[in-house]
Amino acid sequence: MHTQPLDLTRLWGEGWALTLAPRAPAFCLDAMAAGEITPLPDGLAAFAHRSPFDGPPVLVAAAALDERWSVVVESEAQTGWVGTHPDVLETLAAPDAPACTAYSDPNKVQVVFREYQAPVGGLEPRTNRRWGHFGDRTRQALREAGFPDGYATAEHPVPAAPSEGALALLAAQAVTRTELRAEHLQGPWLGGLTAKPYPTTH
């Protein structure tokens, strides 16, 4: 897990959310309340045809990382990031693997995750401020990826990364023990529109 992560800020700017889940792409989209799930032959290029001012419903797209794991991408947050919903994360988590969403707003980059049948946990990757539930396996995985156990300091810094978005992806990959590579972003995806409302409580 010490390879340099993709720089999602360079790829997508300041507004995006990416979910890693131990479920099939269609299952992930269904959990995110996407209707009329269809192939996206051009993959994430489908986002370029939508305006951020379109409003809900918003487009979510999913693809397989391997035979078990999937990645889901959102690039519109008019109603909030669907992948940050506690109930979505709960549905996507498996008994032996958490579901995790890294997201970037203009003023905030965070990682939230949910271990199976456990409360939501989260962290700010730059400061390593943490909240919620962190199981032993998650703490160890983050430690192995270079994140300190407490707040980041000069003596105990977070890993070096080209942007906070890249650092968020590094943390998400550590939590899930998966890796998102550039080739995963190419080729066909599945997609659908969702108007799932943002949760009123976290």
Side-chain angles (χ1 to χ4, degrees):
M1 287 295 177
H2 293 288
T3 58
Q4 195 65 259
L6 290 174
D7 187 347
L8 300 184
T9 300
R10 183 177 61 80
L11 284 173
W12 297 329
E14 297 299 329
W16 48 265
L18 180 145
T19 300
L20 301 171
R23 305 288 186 179
F27 184 102
C28 294
L29 293 175
D30 186 64
M32 292 183 169
E36 297 184 26
I37 297 169
T38 59
L40 300 176
D42 297 327
L44 296 180
F47 286 116
H49 305 303
R50 294 183 58 80
S51 165
F53 302 106
D54 284 347
V58 299
L59 178 64
V60 290
L65 291 180
D66 55 31
E67 65 278 357
R68 186 183 189 195
W69 286 85
S70 294
V71 55
V72 185
V73 172
E74 310 170 54
S75 66
E76 304 160 66
Q78 297 297 312
T79 56
W81 301 116
V82 181
T84 63
H85 280 256
D87 62 317
V88 169
L89 291 169
E90 181 179 38
T91 301
L92 294 178
D96 60 343
C100 182
T101 297
Y103 67 97
S104 171
D105 290 329
N107 303 314
K108 179 169 56 178
V109 176
Q110 294 189 345
V111 176
V112 293
F113 64 90
R114 192 158 191 172
E115 299 172 18
Y116 189 69
Q117 295 183 342
V120 173
L123 64 89
E124 291 178 348
R126 186 65 68 190
T127 65
N128 204 43
R129 182 180 75 86
R130 301 182 183 187
W131 63 92
H133 176 79
F134 280 70
D136 291 341
R137 181 181 177 186
T138 298
R139 291 180 184 278
Q140 179 63 27
L142 287 165
R143 196 176 299 130
E144 290 172 359
F147 288 87
D149 288 337
Y151 275 94
T153 64
E155 294 78 19
H156 301 285
V158 295
S163 73
E164 197 166 5
L167 190 60
L169 179 58
L170 183 64
Q173 290 179 161
V175 168
T176 57
R177 298 181 184 269
T178 61
E179 184 180 7
L180 177 71
R181 300 185 300 275
E183 57 262 33
H184 291 132
L185 302 180
Q186 311 303 318
W189 285 51
L190 288 178
L193 298 176
T194 179
K196 186 175 177 65
Y198 193 66
T200 55
T201 59
H202 296 276

